[in-house]
Amino acid sequence: ASSDAARDGSICEDAIVLSITSALAKDALSYFQSCKFHECIDILIQLKQKKHNDPKVLHNIAIAEYFRDACSNSMKLLEDLNSVKKQSEELACTVKEQVEAVNPGTNVCVSKDQFDSTVTSFNIVRIPMIFLVSAMPFAVVKAITWFHLHQYTKSLSILVPLFRNIEPLDETIALQICFLLLDIALACHDAVKFLAVFEYMDKAFGGGSGSHEEIGSTMQLSSNQVSKTSSLLSSAVVSDTLKSDLTAAESSLCEEDYENVLAEFEAEKRMKLVGHIPANNLLKALGERSVLTVDLKLELQLYKVRFLLLTRNLKLAKREVKHAMNIAQKRDSSMALLLKSQLEYAHGNHRKAIKLLLVSGIQKEARTSGIFNNNLGCIYYQLGKYQTASVLFSKALRSCSSLRKENPVKLFSLSQDQSLLITYNCGLLYLACGKPLLAAQCFQKASLVFCRQPLIWLRIAECCIMALQKGLLEEGNTSLDRSEIRLHVIGKGKWRQLMMEENGFVELAGSSQWPKLSLPLARVCISNGMYLLKESLLNDSKSDLESTLSLKINETKETSDHGEANTNSDLKEAKGGMNQDIIQNSLSAFKDIRSRENQLIQQALLANMAYVELELENPIKALSAANSLFQLPDCSKIYLFLGHIYAAEALCLLNRPVEAGSHLSAYLLGQDDFKLPFAQEDFDQWRMHASFDCEETSDPSTGNPRDFLKPEEARGALFANLAALLATQGHHDQAKPLITHALTVLPNNVQATVTAVYIDLMLGRSQDALARLKQCTRVSFVPGRLDVKAS
Amino acid sequence: LAHRVRSTMMIMKMEETAIVWPLLQSDLRPIEDVLAEFNSKFPRPRHFTVCSSLSLLLQAFLELSYINAHFAIHSLYTGNESKVIRTVSGVYTHRLGYIVISVLRIGTNRKRDVVLFQDLMILRSTDRLIAFAIMYQCYSSQKPSANPFVSEMINAACNEQAEKYERAFLLHLLQWNSYNNAKEILKLSAVDYIKSFDPSTHEFPDLGELQREYGNKTDSGPSSHIFAESALKTLLHDPDVPRGCDPNSPEFDVQSGGNSKIGCGDRDEAVAGILGSSTKGGLTPRWIRPCPPRYPVHQSELLWIDPDNKHELVWDDKMCADTSRGATVRDLLVKGLKVTLSPTEQEDITSELANDPKLVYHCGITPRKLPQLVEHNPQIAVEILTKLINSPEIADYFTALVSMDMSLHSMEVVNRLTTAVELPKEFIRMYITNCISSCENAKQQDKYMQNRLVRLVCVFLQSLIRNNIIDVKDLFIEVQAFCIDFSRIREAAGLFRLLKTLE
């Protein structure tokens, strides 16, 4: 009885403590929500003392401190969260030990009281244990922080185990995990991962449940009323806001385009299409969207569209975006309009895309105006208007940086830094404008996000090559040695070890100081690209998440099969659900597209590698790169041509003229004529690879291959090179007509001219040589020093 | 461009030229001294460059083609050939002027002028000796065959037209057979050596012999491929062919002044110019190396940005929260492991579980405890298992169910589960096998208990078959044998008949 009394006493005490602490906790939360972080932290510290380092208190302190420091120190947050993790692991351990110590057998009843008191005193009630640590919010916060730092792999390493055990988790946390996974999958272009998560969400939270439908209908009613009252105003409001936007943007944009857009608007307004667009005051501020308050149904539909856009299933995306518009019509349609704009952009209907982008209204908010400018910049880039695109991209970057300086930092908004993505776009733009040094700077900055993608390495290598062509390379000033084998010296004295490093991935992205552009840098970049490409080819066959998640897909498949047995499939279509087959088809089509793209990147990497190795006077490597080009299946004719030219030169440099000749004579027609190594169609096809059928045919002048030989010129190069080869073999008479032919196609080519002069001189026709030099416009006579301009 | 880069590395600097040229001219000093001074002034890495320049200079008379080309270009530039001739005629006897005039005549009468070339060498004989000595000395620590300029030296040593003292000098340097006096000779000055030379005492090997001895290195230099080769070969063997204008060719620096300088340029200036800008290259056929095209920018590479969800840093709202959530259920369930719960208690559990869909994961029923719950409260067990069907741990619960002792309650649970959720086929199969073997094992114990169990299993199986939960084909033989074994029991016979109708 006495023990009972004691127990009652302690329970009573517990209750008092509980009421005090929970009151404090409430205060802390309200301070937190009103952005008074200093006050919030004061209370949390009191709680920490009362609750003996309760992990939950520590967690909240970490977050409050992070916001107090204006979200500036993500690394500190991560460290704090790590110690929270350690703390809760220790606690979990103690609880487990105590439970097991008291409760060794199966006789549960005896230990029940002790168990409960242990558990409650540590404020951990959850069983089974495995969920205790991993499911705590700090893990999710860590994943979110890594996500915002663009460290997707790290974020995934936390989220994937959580997703595997998602069933027991609270719905809010489960939703957060799922949405985060979706965004990561989109950022990584990982359709498989996306689908696995999406299918689960659709099953667990999405369609089927009537509750959302009901919410929708009630909301529909209220918003209908509003829209009725505002419908009279809406058209006027919309056109006004548009006009103000136009004038705002006018300074940087081409006027005629806007005139056209405006005209289209007027036309559409007359057709009453604008009536669908909600007036500005109905738009829920996009920046305030939050996982916990979003309309799940709309959100899932939007993600579905994004999946279809990712997998480039534009036909289905069009249908689904319509559906999204229907749902959104009653609510916030800006995101749906944005996706519609993206769809039109993907279709190549650039004017329509601009229009929808403006209508989406995202330019009005500081938070999203950077995104608006970036997307508009993409459209102008595609239109070939690089000047305008560059203005837009730099505007986008400016608004991003001003967002970062915003004070005080808004609650629940870890600065969403998109500037690295915009920087990548800038890089592409500078490359297109022929500014390799600026482009390289952009790519190097963006490599923080994209360093696992082969394409960015190819782009940096292209910057090096372009800088080489423009004479912008500083020779002899490269930190990367020309030698390809590097030995790392590890340890000291008798422990000194040498470690070979060869052909691996050279970590450049992490270092703050990038080496200057150079050919050896190009070589490293290309080999990094090849390495990543091979890695991704390997991963295609065995994806970590895929295998674990495919289980989930299959489950869903089974259940949906069951569903189809009962319900009419037409009904399903009408409901806007996605047919499993369509999704899987779109997924496999996307896989095909990706593998084709990877093949093209591989071809480009190999061709660039051969070129760079030749420039670095390494014919053996150049030859092997060219040879691997020939072994690729379905290699583009352009790259085959380059491969033959490079291989032949490499063989000449290796004193193997006969083999070199065989590479050139592959293109021989009869005795002394060459066929075109590739057709203009080949080039166009390659340039537009995997592109969609554009409804508006893009301006051919914008995509003119200024930087590459025309087919006829390529044939000229074959003539000239065969002539050079024959000349070195002493067959000057044979070489003469070939070089003459080459010069008719390439009259101002330096190399061909020099070869021609050589042949003339060897044949003793110095007058001809002089005449040739006179004709060539690229010879200049400088007093004191004769110089032939380098090509 | 790479070519140009390489050649700038190979070119001697102005100040280096200023050192080398006086050294070559110091024909009265012992050669040793000259070499020592050379060593003190040039670091090892520059040796190759200097020797390359010297080697070119030694061949300068063969290289006249450069000057020829220069002149051709120059006349093209001014467009006035006669003026050039007049300018140079005043210094006709001067060597360089002589050369220029000779070259000018190539167009009209090549044969005659070539003869004129033969004795035209830019370096005097004493200069040449010192130059060769430098080339030898730079690589004297290695075998002669490792000297990159050994082929030049061999060629010069075998040149019938060359002076005998020069050839002997080279053979000494190369240490050919009886020529082993290099040390002695180098103590003399160049002038003294020539004076003391006795041509009658010397025999000269032919080119083949020397090449065999010194590794048959006919080509030289670091880069050797057919382009370079074709350039070098023609330089050596075809001196009368004009070779045009290499942009890097040295001689255009020699007389950078234009017209007036051609005539009055002197030997020193020419030598300095050659030394200062020579490369080992010559005019070669050029290869067109097209640059790979820029990889096209697909519109998906250009990053279109969608605002993503605000991923909030979540405040842990469970902090200091009431932890009694689900406490009643947990308490009741602990009780339920021991005794059968009252209907109201059962109802409490059911409604609490329905209110909080995640509570089932935290209610304390682990796979290990499941059998006890099944035995005492099969209804609740079914309830919990149904809710746990999506749990990643559900397989463990099934395993617990299969491995527990067969009983009415466990069968009831499985039977109810089959109608509530979809069970894995594997599990049902295992469970049935388990049932059948339990019946057989019960034989030894209690006849009554066995009969009871068999009848239960039969009813259970019939229910499964009727509800299409199992495919009879999978278990046909096993179940048939079971029926025959226990044919004395009415339910077994009934099951047998059911099987027959399905067959």
Side-chain angles (χ1 to χ4, degrees):
Chain A
S2 66
S3 74
D4 270 4
R7 215 178 69 181
D8 285 351
S10 78
I11 284 173
C12 189
E13 221 169 82
D14 280 354
I16 292 165
V17 170
L18 194 70
S19 70
I20 293 172
T21 52
S22 66
L24 282 174
K26 254 181 212 159
D27 287 351
L29 179 61
S30 73
Y31 278 129
F32 182 72
Q33 280 165 341
S34 50
C35 298
K36 291 174 179 161
F37 300 116
H38 287 283
E39 292 87 338
C40 176
I41 291 167
D42 287 345
I43 294 179
L44 287 173
I45 287 170
Q46 288 179 40
L47 275 175
K48 182 179 159 191
Q49 285 155 358
K50 284 199 166 57
K51 302 283 288 185
H52 310 288
N53 290 338
D54 180 338
K56 287 171 191 298
V57 179
L58 294 179
H59 167 96
N60 286 342
I61 289 177
I63 289 176
E65 283 181 346
Y66 180 66
F67 280 115
R68 182 195 61 193
D69 302 340
C71 301
S72 54
N73 200 343
S74 301
M75 279 342 220
K76 177 181 173 292
L77 174 64
L78 287 167
E79 275 168 30
D80 289 349
L81 291 172
N82 272 340
S83 58
V84 175
K85 185 185 175 200
K86 221 175 269 166
Q87 190 77 28
S88 35
E89 273 168 355
E90 274 170 26
L91 272 176
C93 238
T94 351
V95 171
K96 204 175 163 194
E97 274 167 20
Q98 284 179 354
V99 169
E100 278 174 2
V102 179
N103 177 25
T106 46
N107 198 348
V108 192
C109 198
V110 179
S111 62
K112 184 225 151 204
D113 283 349
Q114 274 127 326
F115 175 77
D116 266 11
S117 63
T118 332
V119 154
T120 41
S121 72
F122 282 105
N123 198 12
I124 299 169
V125 224
R126 299 298 153 86
I127 299 166
M129 288 300 174
I130 49 156
F131 299 131
L132 270 177
V133 174
S134 61
M136 291 215 168
F138 68 79
V140 180
V141 170
K142 243 170 94 177
I144 291 170
T145 313
W146 284 125
F147 171 78
H148 286 303
L149 294 171
H150 302 288
Q151 300 281 328
Y152 301 126
T153 328
K154 283 182 179 154
S155 195
L156 280 176
S157 71
I158 299 171
L159 292 173
V160 170
L162 287 179
F163 185 71
R164 280 188 199 131
N165 290 321
I166 201 155
E167 279 297 334
L169 302 185
D170 280 349
E171 199 166 86
T172 42
I173 252 183
L175 266 177
Q176 241 178 339
I177 291 167
C178 288
F179 276 123
L180 199 53
L181 276 169
L182 288 185
D183 279 337
I184 292 173
L186 283 174
C188 302
H189 302 284
D190 191 336
V192 177
K193 207 167 282 178
F194 181 96
L195 198 56
V197 178
F198 186 83
E199 297 276 4
Y200 168 74
M201 289 183 83
D202 207 31
K203 196 182 71 172
F205 310 108
S209 67
S211 60
H212 291 296
E213 212 50 63
E214 282 163 32
I215 294 166
S217 60
T218 51
M219 274 188 71
Q220 182 182 7
L221 212 128
S222 60
S223 65
N224 266 356
Q225 288 169 331
V226 183
S227 64
K228 255 177 205 162
T229 53
S230 65
S231 67
L232 288 171
L233 297 167
S234 66
S235 57
V237 169
V238 166
S239 69
D240 275 359
T241 47
L242 273 180
K243 266 179 190 148
S244 68
D245 282 326
L246 291 183
T247 43
E250 220 160 13
S251 57
S252 59
L253 302 176
C254 298
E255 236 167 289
E256 47 165 352
D257 285 319
Y258 274 90
E259 223 88 85
N260 289 337
V261 174
L262 211 60
E264 277 182 52
F265 263 115
E266 293 295 326
E268 286 209 2
K269 207 163 68 183
R270 261 176 265 125
M271 292 172 76
K272 305 248 176 184
L273 277 172
V274 186
H276 284 295
I277 300 157
N280 194 25
N281 56 356
L282 281 184
L283 289 176
K284 205 168 102 199
L286 213 74
E288 305 303 320
R289 277 192 326 150
S290 129
V291 174
L292 305 178
T293 57
V294 282
D295 184 333
L296 260 178
K297 190 181 161 82
L298 173 59
E299 207 58 34
L300 284 176
Q301 183 64 24
L302 293 174
Y303 271 106
K304 192 189 288 181
V305 176
R306 289 176 75 178
F307 169 79
L308 293 169
L309 283 170
L310 172 71
T311 56
R312 305 187 199 169
N313 189 341
L314 299 187
K315 220 171 153 188
L316 201 55
K318 200 166 187 171
R319 208 185 73 189
E320 293 296 333
V321 84
K322 251 181 212 161
H323 190 62
M325 285 296 292
N326 282 337
I327 307 174
Q329 200 184 325
K330 310 154 193 165
R331 306 155 214 188
D332 169 15
S333 61
S334 55
M335 188 64 191
L337 284 164
L338 189 60
L339 289 177
K340 216 172 167 186
S341 168
Q342 190 181 0
L343 179 69
E344 295 301 343
Y345 166 75
H347 261 305
N349 301 330
H350 297 123
R351 270 163 237 292
K352 247 185 188 168
I354 293 177
K355 193 174 64 186
L356 286 163
L357 198 56
L358 283 168
V359 174
S360 77
I362 62 167
Q363 69 273 33
K364 296 188 194 83
E365 256 190 274
R367 200 161 293 285
T368 47
S369 68
I371 293 175
F372 169 80
N373 282 319
N374 173 73
N375 292 351
L376 199 57
C378 291
I379 299 172
Y380 274 88
Y381 180 99
Q382 294 295 346
L383 286 168
K385 297 188 168 138
Y386 296 145
Q387 193 60 41
T388 317
S390 129
V391 172
L392 286 167
F393 284 146
S394 45
K395 260 180 133 182
L397 282 175
R398 263 204 306 282
S399 59
C400 272
S401 67
S402 70
L403 209 60
R404 248 173 290 155
K405 287 178 201 134
E406 193 177 294
N407 210 17
V409 183
K410 285 222 178 88
L411 191 57
F412 296 143
S413 68
L414 192 69
S415 68
Q416 273 185 299
D417 200 355
Q418 309 283 16
S419 58
L420 289 177
L421 310 190
I422 303 168
T423 307
Y424 185 89
N425 287 345
C426 285
L428 286 179
L429 186 71
Y430 284 130
L431 201 57
C433 299
K435 295 175 184 164
L437 299 183
L438 286 172
Q441 276 176 12
C442 290
F443 289 131
Q444 287 164 0
K445 262 187 217 159
S447 68
L448 276 174
V449 186
F450 301 102
C451 63
R452 303 308 293 179
Q453 292 188 11
L455 198 51
I456 194 171
W457 296 104
L458 175 61
R459 292 295 178 205
I460 298 173
E462 284 178 346
C463 291
C464 294
I465 291 172
M466 189 185 272
L468 168 81
Q469 287 176 308
K470 291 184 175 267
L472 298 170
L473 288 189
E474 287 175 47
E475 263 316 308
N477 196 15
T478 53
S479 60
L480 288 166
D481 197 36
R482 278 189 175 222
S483 62
E484 285 160 80
I485 301 174
R486 292 199 292 177
L487 289 171
H488 294 273
V489 183
I490 301 165
K492 277 179 185 158
K494 66 174 178 176
W495 301 108
R496 191 160 66 184
Q497 307 278 320
L498 292 179
M499 191 181 74
M500 270 297 261
E501 175 199 298
E502 205 181 358
N503 281 339
F505 182 81
V506 180
E507 196 67 57
L508 289 171
S511 59
S512 55
Q513 187 68 52
W514 268 74
K516 285 204 174 114
L517 292 194
S518 67
L519 285 172
L521 176 66
R523 173 197 269 161
V524 170
C525 288
I526 292 170
S527 91
N528 275 357
M530 292 296 291
Y531 177 85
L532 292 172
L533 206 59
K534 273 182 199 142
E535 207 180 44
S536 82
L537 290 178
L538 269 178
N539 283 357
D540 274 358
S541 48
K542 53 166 184 77
S543 166
D544 56 331
L545 193 66
E546 197 177 335
S547 52
T548 56
L549 294 187
S550 63
L551 194 87
K552 288 237 185 299
I553 297 183
N554 290 340
E555 272 176 26
T556 340
K557 212 173 189 171
E558 271 177 37
T559 51
S560 76
D561 283 350
H562 276 274
E564 257 171 344
N566 299 334
T567 55
N568 191 331
S569 61
D570 283 353
L571 195 74
K572 238 191 151 193
E573 291 267 322
K575 267 162 70 184
M578 278 201 289
N579 189 300
Q580 200 66 36
D581 289 343
I582 296 176
I583 290 297
Q584 288 301 328
N585 284 346
S586 135
L587 190 64
S588 66
F590 181 58
K591 273 184 184 161
D592 291 347
I593 292 173
R594 294 284 289 200
S595 75
R596 178 71 195 141
E597 272 177 6
N598 278 345
Q599 279 176 12
L600 284 167
I601 293 174
Q602 198 177 10
Q603 294 169 17
L605 282 170
L606 284 171
N608 279 287
M609 184 188 277
Y611 179 80
V612 167
E613 293 296 351
L614 281 176
E615 288 288 341
L616 287 169
E617 298 170 45
N618 195 346
I620 295 177
K621 283 211 129 191
L623 184 63
S624 89
N627 280 335
S628 11
L629 205 51
F630 303 137
Q631 278 151 22
L632 293 182
D634 307 326
C635 189
S636 150
K637 279 188 182 169
I638 299 156
Y639 286 120
L640 282 179
F641 162 72
L642 287 175
H644 283 301
I645 292 270
Y646 296 153
E649 185 180 358
L651 286 165
C652 284
L653 295 173
L654 294 167
N655 286 331
R656 287 150 71 180
V658 181
E659 291 164 76
S662 73
H663 275 287
L664 298 181
S665 56
Y667 290 106
L668 266 181
L669 264 186
Q671 278 297 308
D672 52 358
D673 199 10
F674 283 104
K675 58 184 170 192
L676 288 176
F678 54 89
Q680 187 60 42
E681 299 92 78
D682 291 321
F683 194 85
D684 295 340
Q685 203 184 348
W686 168 77
R687 211 165 47 77
M688 303 288 290
H689 70 91
S691 207
F692 321 112
D693 42 341
C694 293
E695 288 176 23
E696 268 172 47
T697 45
S698 63
D699 189 1
S701 64
T702 57
N704 212 27
R706 275 160 305 166
D707 57 348
F708 196 63
L709 304 171
K710 292 195 178 71
E712 191 56 44
E713 291 169 339
R715 184 161 71 158
L718 286 172
F719 275 113
N721 286 345
L722 187 59
L725 183 60
L726 288 172
T728 60
Q729 305 298 295
H731 307 302
H732 305 300
D733 288 321
Q734 272 175 277
K736 175 98 180 167
L738 292 176
I739 197 69
T740 312
H741 194 115
L743 279 170
T744 58
V745 187
L746 304 163
N748 277 321
N749 185 287
V750 171
Q751 286 82 9
T753 307
V754 172
T755 305
V757 168
Y758 176 89
I759 292 168
D760 283 337
L761 293 176
M762 293 305 271
L763 290 169
R765 305 169 69 97
S766 51
Q767 292 305 316
D768 288 1
L770 282 178
R772 240 185 248 298
L773 285 169
K774 270 188 201 169
Q775 276 165 12
C776 179
T777 57
R778 291 176 81 174
V779 177
S780 56
F781 299 96
V782 185
R785 178 177 280 273
L786 178 91
D787 207 357
V788 177
K789 277 181 194 159
S791 57
Chain B
L1 196 104
H3 182 229
R4 186 184 297 168
V5 168
R6 190 185 55 205
S7 44
T8 54
M9 304 290 284
M10 301 271 293
I11 289 174
M12 281 172 70
K13 296 177 198 137
M14 281 300 276
E15 55 271 24
E16 289 176 329
T17 312
I19 299 168
V20 171
W21 181 227
L23 286 178
L24 291 183
Q25 284 178 310
S26 32
D27 50 2
L28 294 172
R29 289 168 64 190
I31 299 174
E32 256 181 1
D33 283 7
V34 178
L35 294 180
E37 191 182 338
F38 177 87
N39 268 349
S40 69
K41 294 204 168 148
F42 286 95
R44 187 148 270 286
R46 296 301 294 167
H47 285 181
F48 182 76
T49 308
V50 175
C51 291
S52 301
S53 298
L54 289 176
S55 148
L56 193 80
L57 204 54
L58 287 164
Q59 301 171 56
F61 78 104
L62 295 172
E63 296 258 347
L64 284 180
S65 52
Y66 279 138
I67 298 179
N68 168 20
H70 171 255
F71 184 76
I73 297 301
H74 198 273
S75 58
L76 176 77
Y77 185 48
T78 58
N80 189 346
E81 293 183 19
S82 58
K83 190 181 169 198
V84 178
I85 297 170
R86 240 182 293 122
T87 322
V88 294
S89 60
V91 280
Y92 191 78
T93 49
H94 190 283
R95 268 190 177 166
L96 275 179
Y98 203 64
I99 291 162
V100 170
I101 295 298
S102 314
V103 167
L104 186 64
R105 290 187 182 148
I106 281 177
T108 53
N109 189 350
R110 265 199 287 158
K111 276 269 151 52
R112 208 192 70 212
D113 289 312
V114 168
V115 179
L116 280 175
F117 283 151
Q118 293 298 324
D119 54 359
L120 285 175
M121 292 188 204
I122 281 190
L123 289 185
R124 295 173 309 177
S125 47
T126 49
D127 305 347
R128 292 176 62 84
L129 291 183
I130 294 173
F132 277 124
I134 290 175
M135 283 164 66
Y136 152 77
Q137 187 261 347
C138 283
Y139 297 91
S140 58
S141 58
Q142 300 155 20
K143 270 188 259 171
S145 59
N147 190 321
F149 300 95
V150 73
S151 66
E152 273 92 340
M153 294 164 81
I154 292 172
N155 282 328
C158 302
N159 185 358
E160 299 286 332
Q161 269 123 26
E163 296 288 351
K164 289 226 164 110
Y165 55 76
E166 181 179 311
R167 298 174 64 191
F169 183 78
L170 279 164
L171 289 170
H172 278 296
L173 293 181
L174 291 167
Q175 294 164 321
W176 169 258
N177 289 348
S178 58
Y179 295 91
N180 46 15
N181 261 350
K183 272 192 183 167
E184 295 302 312
I185 289 173
L186 292 179
K187 282 181 181 149
L188 301 171
S189 72
V191 170
D192 288 343
Y193 166 74
I194 294 174
K195 266 187 201 157
S196 65
F197 183 75
D198 178 7
S200 60
T201 59
H202 288 83
E203 272 177 48
F204 294 101
D206 64 14
L207 188 63
E209 272 179 273
L210 284 176
Q211 281 178 346
R212 272 194 298 282
E213 175 70 21
Y214 298 109
N216 197 17
K217 272 184 78 177
T218 47
D219 51 30
S220 61
S223 72
S224 170
H225 46 76
I226 54 174
F227 294 139
E229 240 170 60
S230 63
L232 286 173
K233 271 179 193 158
T234 50
L235 278 177
L236 290 171
H237 301 301
D238 206 357
D240 59 342
V241 168
R243 218 160 278 113
C245 43
D246 185 327
N248 297 310
S249 75
E251 283 72 16
F252 307 116
D253 279 348
V254 175
Q255 300 165 4
S256 51
N259 271 0
S260 60
K261 267 214 165 170
I262 286 180
C264 47
D266 61 348
R267 194 173 71 114
D268 292 3
E269 200 181 344
V271 171
I274 294 172
L275 279 174
S277 59
S278 66
T279 67
K280 282 188 76 77
L283 178 68
T284 62
R286 295 278 193 88
W287 194 268
I288 296 182
R289 182 191 295 167
C291 183
R294 210 154 40 79
Y295 187 73
V297 176
H298 187 263
Q299 58 179 349
S300 69
E301 190 187 352
L302 214 55
L303 299 160
W304 180 280
I305 303 175
D306 293 318
D308 45 23
N309 269 300
K310 291 285 160 295
H311 296 289
E312 302 165 4
L313 297 185
V314 265
W315 178 269
D316 194 338
D317 51 8
K318 301 282 181 338
M319 177 178 75
C320 311
D322 184 12
T323 53
S324 63
R325 170 190 167 197
T328 33
V329 171
R330 275 197 302 279
D331 288 347
L332 284 174
L333 282 174
V334 170
K335 193 175 162 193
L337 297 177
K338 284 198 77 189
V339 294
T340 307
L341 297 172
S342 72
T344 41
E345 284 172 328
Q346 294 199 11
E347 214 162 276
D348 282 351
I349 293 176
T350 317
S351 64
E352 283 259 7
L353 286 178
N355 283 341
D356 184 349
K358 302 291 175 185
L359 182 59
V360 69
Y361 293 99
H362 314 294
C363 65
I365 298 299
T366 58
R368 210 179 58 181
K369 292 176 187 166
L370 182 68
Q372 287 169 286
L373 187 67
V374 167
E375 278 314 317
H376 295 107
N377 294 287
Q379 308 256 32
I380 298 295
V382 170
E383 190 80 26
I384 286 177
L385 287 174
T386 316
K387 288 195 186 308
L388 280 174
I389 198 71
N390 284 326
S391 158
E393 286 201 319
I394 190 66
D396 296 340
Y397 288 95
F398 285 147
T399 313
L401 206 52
V402 167
S403 36
M404 70 182 281
D405 286 339
M406 214 42 62
S407 72
L408 172 62
H409 282 171
S410 107
M411 250 179 274
E412 186 190 337
V413 167
V414 175
N415 195 27
R416 280 200 193 196
L417 275 179
T418 56
T419 54
V421 291
E422 197 188 350
L423 292 174
K425 287 204 164 56
E426 223 11 59
F427 164 71
I428 297 178
R429 244 194 105 123
M430 245 161 86
Y431 190 79
I432 291 171
T433 313
N434 222 15
C435 287
I436 291 172
S437 61
S438 298
C439 291
E440 282 157 5
N441 293 341
K443 237 181 232 173
Q444 292 96 33
Q445 300 164 11
D446 186 346
K447 201 83 181 174
Y448 172 73
M449 278 305 291
Q450 190 192 34
N451 279 356
R452 225 181 103 99
L453 203 55
V454 170
R455 287 169 64 195
L456 265 173
V457 171
C458 289
V459 173
F460 174 63
L461 284 173
Q462 283 191 27
S463 158
L464 290 182
I465 293 168
R466 289 223 172 87
N467 289 324
N468 280 327
I469 304 295
I470 53 165
D471 193 346
V472 192
K473 272 176 251 154
D474 293 344
L475 288 158
F476 192 80
I477 296 172
E478 214 174 338
V479 175
Q480 203 179 32
F482 168 75
C483 291
I484 293 167
D485 255 11
F486 296 100
S487 54
R488 59 194 159 81
I489 296 167
R490 193 153 48 90
E491 281 78 5
L495 180 61
F496 189 76
R497 275 196 298 279
L498 182 64
L499 284 178
K500 282 293 157 198
T501 57
L502 289 171
E503 209 173 356

